[in-house]
PDB file of all heavy atoms in Angstrom:
ATOM      1  N   SER A1001      82.760   7.631 132.249  1.00 52.00           N
ATOM      2  CA  SER A1001      83.881   7.336 131.372  1.00 52.00           C
ATOM      3  C   SER A1001      83.445   7.439 129.905  1.00 52.00           C
ATOM      4  O   SER A1001      82.301   7.169 129.573  1.00 52.00           O
ATOM      5  CB  SER A1001      84.370   5.928 131.663  1.00 52.00           C
ATOM      6  OG  SER A1001      85.173   5.468 130.616  1.00 52.00           O
ATOM      7  N   LYS A1064      64.694 -18.577  96.132  1.00 98.00           N
ATOM      8  CA  LYS A1064      63.687 -17.732  95.460  1.00 98.00           C
ATOM      9  C   LYS A1064      62.332 -17.921  96.138  1.00 98.00           C
ATOM     10  O   LYS A1064      62.067 -18.965  96.715  1.00 98.00           O
ATOM     11  CB  LYS A1064      63.562 -18.148  93.989  1.00 98.00           C
ATOM     12  CG  LYS A1064      64.684 -17.655  93.124  1.00 98.00           C
ATOM     13  CD  LYS A1064      64.144 -17.197  91.767  1.00 98.00           C
ATOM     14  CE  LYS A1064      65.198 -16.505  90.902  1.00 98.00           C
ATOM     15  NZ  LYS A1064      66.463 -16.115  91.534  1.00 98.00           N
ATOM     16  N   ALA A1103      53.301 -13.678 122.489  1.00 98.00           N
ATOM     17  CA  ALA A1103      52.857 -13.970 121.125  1.00 98.00           C
ATOM     18  C   ALA A1103      51.556 -14.774 121.148  1.00 98.00           C
ATOM     19  O   ALA A1103      50.618 -14.494 120.390  1.00 98.00           O
ATOM     20  CB  ALA A1103      53.945 -14.735 120.375  1.00 98.00           C
ATOM     21  N   ALA A1105      49.255 -14.818 123.494  1.00 98.00           N
ATOM     22  CA  ALA A1105      48.137 -13.986 123.950  1.00 98.00           C
ATOM     23  C   ALA A1105      47.574 -13.145 122.797  1.00 98.00           C
ATOM     24  O   ALA A1105      46.355 -12.975 122.683  1.00 98.00           O
ATOM     25  CB  ALA A1105      48.594 -13.072 125.087  1.00 98.00           C
ATOM     26  N   GLU A1106      48.416 -12.655 121.913  1.00 98.00           N
ATOM     27  CA  GLU A1106      47.934 -11.888 120.761  1.00 98.00           C
ATOM     28  C   GLU A1106      47.170 -12.790 119.799  1.00 98.00           C
ATOM     29  O   GLU A1106      46.133 -12.405 119.267  1.00 98.00           O
ATOM     30  CB  GLU A1106      49.109 -11.222 120.029  1.00 98.00           C
ATOM     31  CG  GLU A1106      49.781 -10.122 120.803  1.00 98.00           C
ATOM     32  CD  GLU A1106      48.900  -8.899 121.011  1.00 98.00           C
ATOM     33  OE1 GLU A1106      48.046  -8.944 121.929  1.00 98.00           O
ATOM     34  OE2 GLU A1106      49.065  -7.910 120.283  1.00 98.00           O
ATOM     35  N   GLU A1131      60.169 -33.996 118.478  1.00 95.00           N
ATOM     36  CA  GLU A1131      59.014 -34.896 118.645  1.00 95.00           C
ATOM     37  C   GLU A1131      58.106 -34.495 119.809  1.00 95.00           C
ATOM     38  O   GLU A1131      57.035 -35.050 119.988  1.00 95.00           O
ATOM     39  CB  GLU A1131      59.480 -36.355 118.774  1.00 95.00           C
ATOM     40  CG  GLU A1131      60.350 -36.637 119.993  1.00 95.00           C
ATOM     41  CD  GLU A1131      61.851 -36.466 119.699  1.00 95.00           C
ATOM     42  OE1 GLU A1131      62.193 -35.756 118.726  1.00 95.00           O
ATOM     43  OE2 GLU A1131      62.660 -37.045 120.444  1.00 95.00           O
ATOM     44  N   TYR A1141      49.690 -22.409 111.332  1.00 98.00           N
ATOM     45  CA  TYR A1141      51.160 -22.372 111.439  1.00 98.00           C
ATOM     46  C   TYR A1141      51.561 -22.847 112.826  1.00 98.00           C
ATOM     47  O   TYR A1141      50.735 -22.917 113.745  1.00 98.00           O
ATOM     48  CB  TYR A1141      51.709 -20.947 111.194  1.00 98.00           C
ATOM     49  CG  TYR A1141      51.139 -19.885 112.103  1.00 98.00           C
ATOM     50  CD1 TYR A1141      51.654 -19.657 113.380  1.00 98.00           C
ATOM     51  CD2 TYR A1141      50.050 -19.110 111.686  1.00 98.00           C
ATOM     52  CE1 TYR A1141      51.116 -18.698 114.212  1.00 98.00           C
ATOM     53  CE2 TYR A1141      49.506 -18.132 112.516  1.00 98.00           C
ATOM     54  CZ  TYR A1141      50.041 -17.935 113.784  1.00 98.00           C
ATOM     55  OH  TYR A1141      49.491 -16.980 114.610  1.00 98.00           O
ATOM     56  N   SER A1146      62.991 -18.941 118.552  1.00 98.00           N
ATOM     57  CA  SER A1146      64.188 -19.765 118.305  1.00 98.00           C
ATOM     58  C   SER A1146      65.235 -19.610 119.401  1.00 98.00           C
ATOM     59  O   SER A1146      65.954 -20.546 119.717  1.00 98.00           O
ATOM     60  CB  SER A1146      64.799 -19.437 116.946  1.00 98.00           C
ATOM     61  OG  SER A1146      65.117 -18.068 116.873  1.00 98.00           O
ATOM     62  N   LEU A1157      67.606 -28.032 117.323  1.00 97.00           N
ATOM     63  CA  LEU A1157      66.859 -28.670 116.231  1.00 97.00           C
ATOM     64  C   LEU A1157      65.465 -28.072 116.179  1.00 97.00           C
ATOM     65  O   LEU A1157      64.816 -27.930 117.222  1.00 97.00           O
ATOM     66  CB  LEU A1157      66.734 -30.179 116.476  1.00 97.00           C
ATOM     67  CG  LEU A1157      68.027 -30.990 116.479  1.00 97.00           C
ATOM     68  CD1 LEU A1157      67.742 -32.415 116.973  1.00 97.00           C
ATOM     69  CD2 LEU A1157      68.632 -31.024 115.077  1.00 97.00           C
ATOM     70  N   GLY A1162      55.954 -30.433 108.384  1.00 94.00           N
ATOM     71  CA  GLY A1162      55.330 -30.876 107.136  1.00 94.00           C
ATOM     72  C   GLY A1162      54.850 -29.690 106.315  1.00 94.00           C
ATOM     73  O   GLY A1162      55.627 -28.776 106.031  1.00 94.00           O
ATOM     74  N   ASP A1169      60.127 -16.394 115.813  1.00 98.00           N
ATOM     75  CA  ASP A1169      60.648 -15.145 116.366  1.00 98.00           C
ATOM     76  C   ASP A1169      62.141 -15.372 116.575  1.00 98.00           C
ATOM     77  O   ASP A1169      62.547 -16.096 117.480  1.00 98.00           O
ATOM     78  CB  ASP A1169      59.935 -14.836 117.692  1.00 98.00           C
ATOM     79  CG  ASP A1169      60.507 -13.609 118.391  1.00 98.00           C
ATOM     80  OD1 ASP A1169      61.452 -12.995 117.869  1.00 98.00           O
ATOM     81  OD2 ASP A1169      59.967 -13.266 119.467  1.00 98.00           O
ATOM     82  N   ILE A1179      70.867 -21.573 109.245  1.00 97.00           N
ATOM     83  CA  ILE A1179      69.603 -22.301 109.335  1.00 97.00           C
ATOM     84  C   ILE A1179      69.220 -22.702 107.912  1.00 97.00           C
ATOM     85  O   ILE A1179      69.821 -22.223 106.952  1.00 97.00           O
ATOM     86  CB  ILE A1179      68.465 -21.445 109.949  1.00 97.00           C
ATOM     87  CG1 ILE A1179      68.234 -20.178 109.124  1.00 97.00           C
ATOM     88  CG2 ILE A1179      68.752 -21.120 111.406  1.00 97.00           C
ATOM     89  CD1 ILE A1179      66.897 -19.523 109.365  1.00 97.00           C
ATOM     90  N   LEU A1186      57.776 -17.967 107.786  1.00 98.00           N
ATOM     91  CA  LEU A1186      57.990 -16.569 108.157  1.00 98.00           C
ATOM     92  C   LEU A1186      58.972 -16.511 109.326  1.00 98.00           C
ATOM     93  O   LEU A1186      58.885 -17.304 110.257  1.00 98.00           O
ATOM     94  CB  LEU A1186      56.652 -15.917 108.540  1.00 98.00           C
ATOM     95  CG  LEU A1186      56.631 -14.397 108.759  1.00 98.00           C
ATOM     96  CD1 LEU A1186      55.240 -13.832 108.437  1.00 98.00           C
ATOM     97  CD2 LEU A1186      57.027 -13.967 110.156  1.00 98.00           C
ATOM     98  N   ALA A1189      62.392 -10.522 113.316  1.00 98.00           N
ATOM     99  CA  ALA A1189      63.394 -10.155 114.332  1.00 98.00           C
ATOM    100  C   ALA A1189      63.434  -8.646 114.502  1.00 98.00           C
ATOM    101  O   ALA A1189      63.632  -7.914 113.531  1.00 98.00           O
ATOM    102  CB  ALA A1189      64.777 -10.656 113.911  1.00 98.00           C
ATOM    103  N   ASP A1208      53.867 -17.074  99.115  1.00 98.00           N
ATOM    104  CA  ASP A1208      52.467 -17.538  99.084  1.00 98.00           C
ATOM    105  C   ASP A1208      51.703 -17.042 100.329  1.00 98.00           C
ATOM    106  O   ASP A1208      50.490 -16.862 100.280  1.00 98.00           O
ATOM    107  CB  ASP A1208      52.390 -19.070  98.973  1.00 98.00           C
ATOM    108  CG  ASP A1208      53.084 -19.763 100.131  1.00 98.00           C
ATOM    109  OD1 ASP A1208      54.320 -19.694 100.209  1.00 98.00           O
ATOM    110  OD2 ASP A1208      52.391 -20.377 100.960  1.00 98.00           O
ATOM    111  N   LEU A1221      48.995  -2.991 108.176  1.00 98.00           N
ATOM    112  CA  LEU A1221      49.348  -4.180 108.970  1.00 98.00           C
ATOM    113  C   LEU A1221      49.351  -5.451 108.116  1.00 98.00           C
ATOM    114  O   LEU A1221      49.394  -6.569 108.643  1.00 98.00           O
ATOM    115  CB  LEU A1221      48.380  -4.323 110.142  1.00 98.00           C
ATOM    116  CG  LEU A1221      48.460  -3.171 111.162  1.00 98.00           C
ATOM    117  CD1 LEU A1221      47.366  -3.295 112.208  1.00 98.00           C
ATOM    118  CD2 LEU A1221      49.834  -3.114 111.819  1.00 98.00           C
ATOM    119  N   LYS A1252      79.235  -9.685 106.571  1.00 98.00           N
ATOM    120  CA  LYS A1252      79.769 -10.301 105.357  1.00 98.00           C
ATOM    121  C   LYS A1252      81.298 -10.247 105.366  1.00 98.00           C
ATOM    122  O   LYS A1252      81.971 -11.227 105.038  1.00 98.00           O
ATOM    123  CB  LYS A1252      79.224  -9.599 104.116  1.00 98.00           C
ATOM    124  CG  LYS A1252      79.619 -10.289 102.833  1.00 98.00           C
ATOM    125  CD  LYS A1252      78.984  -9.689 101.603  1.00 98.00           C
ATOM    126  CE  LYS A1252      79.584 -10.368 100.370  1.00 98.00           C
ATOM    127  NZ  LYS A1252      79.001  -9.854  99.134  1.00 98.00           N
ATOM    128  N   GLY A1255      83.235 -12.892 107.131  1.00 98.00           N
ATOM    129  CA  GLY A1255      83.200 -14.232 106.555  1.00 98.00           C
ATOM    130  C   GLY A1255      81.783 -14.788 106.491  1.00 98.00           C
ATOM    131  O   GLY A1255      81.585 -15.978 106.232  1.00 98.00           O
ATOM    132  N   THR A1298      73.226 -18.143 137.938  1.00 97.00           N
ATOM    133  CA  THR A1298      72.948 -17.516 139.228  1.00 97.00           C
ATOM    134  C   THR A1298      74.130 -17.704 140.174  1.00 97.00           C
ATOM    135  O   THR A1298      74.980 -18.569 139.972  1.00 97.00           O
ATOM    136  CB  THR A1298      71.689 -18.122 139.897  1.00 97.00           C
ATOM    137  OG1 THR A1298      71.849 -19.535 139.947  1.00 97.00           O
ATOM    138  CG2 THR A1298      70.440 -17.787 139.122  1.00 97.00           C
ATOM    139  N   LEU A1299      74.134 -16.859 141.190  1.00 96.00           N
ATOM    140  CA  LEU A1299      75.125 -16.964 142.276  1.00 96.00           C
ATOM    141  C   LEU A1299      74.362 -17.318 143.545  1.00 96.00           C
ATOM    142  O   LEU A1299      73.139 -17.240 143.572  1.00 96.00           O
ATOM    143  CB  LEU A1299      75.903 -15.651 142.401  1.00 96.00           C
ATOM    144  CG  LEU A1299      76.881 -15.416 141.237  1.00 96.00           C
ATOM    145  CD1 LEU A1299      76.274 -14.596 140.136  1.00 96.00           C
ATOM    146  CD2 LEU A1299      78.164 -14.800 141.742  1.00 96.00           C
ATOM    147  N   GLY A1311      81.547  -5.347 140.628  1.00 97.00           N
ATOM    148  CA  GLY A1311      82.948  -5.544 140.265  1.00 97.00           C
ATOM    149  C   GLY A1311      83.136  -5.608 138.756  1.00 97.00           C
ATOM    150  O   GLY A1311      84.106  -5.069 138.207  1.00 97.00           O
ATOM    151  N   VAL A1339      85.513 -11.926 120.899  1.00 98.00           N
ATOM    152  CA  VAL A1339      86.039 -13.006 121.745  1.00 98.00           C
ATOM    153  C   VAL A1339      86.761 -12.420 122.960  1.00 98.00           C
ATOM    154  O   VAL A1339      86.658 -12.943 124.070  1.00 98.00           O
ATOM    155  CB  VAL A1339      86.997 -13.913 120.935  1.00 98.00           C
ATOM    156  CG1 VAL A1339      87.625 -14.977 121.833  1.00 98.00           C
ATOM    157  CG2 VAL A1339      86.257 -14.587 119.781  1.00 98.00           C
ATOM    158  N   VAL A1346      85.328 -14.252 131.441  1.00 98.00           N
ATOM    159  CA  VAL A1346      85.715 -15.550 132.008  1.00 98.00           C
ATOM    160  C   VAL A1346      86.828 -15.366 133.049  1.00 98.00           C
ATOM    161  O   VAL A1346      86.780 -15.940 134.146  1.00 98.00           O
ATOM    162  CB  VAL A1346      86.155 -16.529 130.892  1.00 98.00           C
ATOM    163  CG1 VAL A1346      86.855 -17.759 131.468  1.00 98.00           C
ATOM    164  CG2 VAL A1346      84.942 -16.944 130.045  1.00 98.00           C
TER     165      VAL A1346
END
Side-chain angles (χ1 to χ4, degrees):
S1001 163
K1064 283 220 172 348
E1106 292 293 80
E1131 63 269 22
Y1141 56 84
S1146 57
L1157 296 170
D1169 175 0
I1179 58 161
L1186 189 152
D1208 59 291
L1221 296 173
K1252 186 175 174 179
T1298 53
L1299 289 94
V1339 176
V1346 167

